[in-house]
Amino acid sequence: RVPLLQAAKKKNSFNLLGLTEAELEEQFVRGNGPGGQATNKTNNCVVLKHIPSGIVVKCHQTRSVAQNRKIAREILQEKVDLFYKGEDSDVFKEKKALEKKKQEKKRRAKENLERKKHFKEMQQLDKK
């Protein structure tokens, strides 16, 4: 019973729930989207299902089946962790922190824009 996180070599490993191969159902299907013959004639899209929770992940980010399998497992592990732990999940906490950071950046940009607008108005008044 080797956790899939180790198999996927996740860089920023959270305290995620471990998955086993016995809990997974894997299929290879044709991908969709741009790519022409490379996409239309090869089964390199990975569909991974976690049987106990019923969560399904479809991954077709690269042309390599091996890379798609790794990526699909990483995504599935994060989704399963979020499913079982909810707001206590590290994935949830990181998403909330990123959202907060984004809102703060947006607020600062808006303030800078207002400051610039005010500065231009002051320059126009000085010229008159």
Side-chain angles (χ1 to χ4, degrees), residues 1 8-9 13 16 21 23-24 26 29 41 45 48 51 54 56 64 66-68 79 83 88 94 108 112 116 121:
R1 186 177 160 126
K9 303 263 191 263
S13 59
L16 299 176
E21 289 294 328
E23 297 174 332
L24 303 178
E26 186 175 45
V29 297
K41 289 196 172 186
C45 180
L48 202 58
I51 298 168
V56 178
S64 167
Q67 285 179 330
N68 285 337
K79 287 191 176 203
F83 179 76
D88 295 333
E94 185 188 7
R108 274 189 265 122
N112 281 340
K116 286 179 183 178
E121 288 172 1

Side-chain angles (χ1 to χ4, degrees), residues 3-65:
L4 290 176
L5 186 63
Q6 291 174 352
K9 303 263 191 263
K10 185 101 169 146
K11 294 173 198 157
N12 54 346
S13 59
F14 303 116
N15 187 19
L16 299 176
L17 293 174
L19 302 176
T20 60
E21 289 294 328
E23 297 174 332
L24 303 178
E25 189 177 291
E26 186 175 45
Q27 292 178 336
F28 302 100
V29 297
R30 290 195 178 123
N32 58 2
Q37 184 175 352
T39 298
N40 299 334
K41 289 196 172 186
T42 58
N43 291 336
N44 56 4
C45 180
V46 178
V47 178
L48 202 58
K49 180 178 181 181
H50 184 248
I51 298 168
S53 65
I55 296 174
V56 178
V57 170
K58 190 174 182 183
C59 180
H60 183 159
Q61 292 181 6
T62 68
R63 291 171 68 181
S64 167
V65 175

